Amino acid sequence: MIFFDIDGTLLDHDKRLPASAKEAILALKEAGHEVAFATGRSPFMLEPLRRELGIDSFVGFNGQYVMQHGKLIYTNPIPTEVIRSLSEYALQQGHPLVYLDDEGMRSSSRRHPYVEESIGTLQYPHPEYDPHFYADRDIYQTMLFCTEQDESGYIERFRKLDFVRWHRLSMDVLPFGGSKAQGIERFIDRLGFRREQVYAFGDNLNDLEMLRYVGHSVAMGNSPESVKKVARYITKDVGHDGIAYGLELVGLL
C-alpha cells in the first residue's frame, strides 16, 4: 500500500506531474499494488489528477476525509462553534480565513494579498467572499493567513485545533489530533494492511505524522530538514524524477 502526498511530491514546483512520476504510478498499479493520495487538498481539487492516474482512493484534508475505492469511509469535520470562535478572533486580528468543504472553498475576506499569494501557489484564484460559509455545512479544514510571528496567539487560544504551516503566509487549521496518519490508519485497517506493508512519500510539515506512522517513509529531496530527519529514506527532488527514483530505492519498481 503506497500513499503519495501531492504538492511538492507528485506535482513539481510548477504544479506539473512529471512524466516519470506518472509512469511509475501506473507501473505500481499494473503490478497490483494499492495506490492512494494523502494530501491536504480538498476532494474537489483532486479531480484532474485522479482522472489522469485512475486513482479512486485518497486521504484528503490532512486525514479528515477518507475515500476508499470511491466510497467515503471516514470524515472528521471541525465543530461549527469552534470555527465561529476562530472566525471572530481572526477578524479582530485582521487575518483572513478560507473555509473548505468537499465541493468548494470560500473566503472571509473580499480580497487579501496573503490569500492571493498563498492560494495562487496552488493555481487557484482568490476564493469568493462568504464569511458565513461554515454555518450550514461540514468544514473539514480551514486556512488561516498570517505570518509566523502571529502563530502563537492562535495556538495558545484554540486548544481544540491544530495549526500546520504550509506557506510563509498560511496555515492549515485542523481538528485537534487530526493528521494524515489518522486517516491512513482508518484506510489500512479496512483493507487489512499492517503498518509494515505501508509506504508513504511526502515533503512538508503536514507529512510528519504520516512519515512517522508508516513502515516505509520516503522524504522528497526538496523537503525541509525537519521532514528528512523523520523519514527512513530520502529520494531526489520532485523535479528530478524523485518519485521514480524513490520507488526504485525502496524496491517497489
Side-chain angles (χ1 to χ4, degrees):
M1 176 80 239
I2 308 101
F3 291 92
F4 294 94
D5 172 52
I6 293 181
D7 298 286
T9 299
L10 279 179
L11 298 184
D12 65 18
H13 307 294
D14 297 314
K15 302 302 178 185
R16 293 192 295 252
L17 177 67
S20 61
K22 181 176 181 178
E23 293 169 4
I25 299 299
L26 296 179
L28 284 178
K29 294 177 60 184
E30 182 68 22
H33 297 297
E34 285 277 351
V35 179
F37 302 127
T39 177
R41 288 185 176 227
S42 167
F44 78 88
M45 297 177 172
L46 304 181
E47 286 306 310
L49 195 58
R50 289 177 64 189
R51 289 195 298 268
E52 183 172 2
L53 296 175
I55 293 175
D56 61 358
S57 296
F58 63 87
V59 173
F61 289 122
N62 288 307
Q64 315 318 303
Y65 193 99
V66 181
M67 185 77 72
Q68 189 174 88
H69 300 157
K71 181 181 179 181
L72 185 62
I73 66 167
Y74 174 73
T75 62
N76 184 33
I78 303 173
T80 301
E81 62 273 15
V82 176
I83 301 181
R84 181 177 293 109
S85 179
L86 173 67
S87 299
E88 292 171 353
Y89 181 75
L91 179 63
Q92 294 171 4
Q93 306 306 309
H95 298 145
L97 297 167
V98 166
Y99 312 105
L100 298 104
D101 69 0
D102 56 311
E103 297 181 341
M105 58 182 170
R106 297 291 186 273
S107 175
S108 68
S109 172
R110 294 185 186 278
R111 188 68 56 181
H112 196 285
Y114 284 13
V115 177
E116 290 185 330
E117 179 176 335
S118 303
I119 295 290
T121 66
L122 300 176
Q123 297 187 338
Y124 281 89
H126 194 295
E128 294 179 21
Y129 173 67
D130 186 351
H132 304 295
F133 185 69
Y134 64 85
D136 58 355
R137 71 195 71 236
D138 286 335
I139 299 297
Y140 301 98
Q141 185 169 283
T142 297
M143 296 180 188
L144 167 65
F145 298 85
C146 67
T147 64
E148 290 186 27
Q149 289 81 1
D150 294 318
E151 280 184 23
S152 59
Y154 289 93
I155 295 171
E156 294 169 4
R157 190 180 187 92
F158 296 98
R159 300 300 176 90
K160 294 183 179 180
L161 296 171
D162 280 338
F163 299 85
V164 184
R165 185 160 292 279
W166 64 274
H167 185 276
R168 70 181 187 89
L169 297 175
S170 183
M171 293 188 289
D172 287 334
V173 184
L174 312 170
F176 180 76
S179 70
K180 292 183 181 181
Q182 180 190 61
I184 287 174
E185 181 177 19
R186 285 167 171 77
F187 191 104
I188 66 175
D189 280 351
R190 289 178 66 99
L191 292 183
F193 283 103
R194 303 186 310 276
R195 289 166 63 174
E196 295 74 22
Q197 297 174 292
V198 181
Y199 294 73
F201 286 68
D203 77 298
N204 216 332
L205 300 180
N206 63 337
D207 296 314
L208 288 172
E209 293 88 351
M210 173 178 75
L211 295 177
R212 292 190 184 105
Y213 177 78
V214 301
H216 305 273
S217 53
V218 186
M220 304 302 291
N222 44 283
S223 305
E225 286 303 313
S226 59
V227 175
K228 291 178 179 177
K229 285 179 180 178
V230 306
R232 184 172 178 180
Y233 305 95
I234 300 174
T235 186
K236 295 180 180 179
D237 186 286
V238 59
H240 295 95
D241 302 320
I243 291 295
Y245 179 84
L247 289 168
E248 293 175 1
L249 180 67
V250 301
L252 289 174
L253 288 182

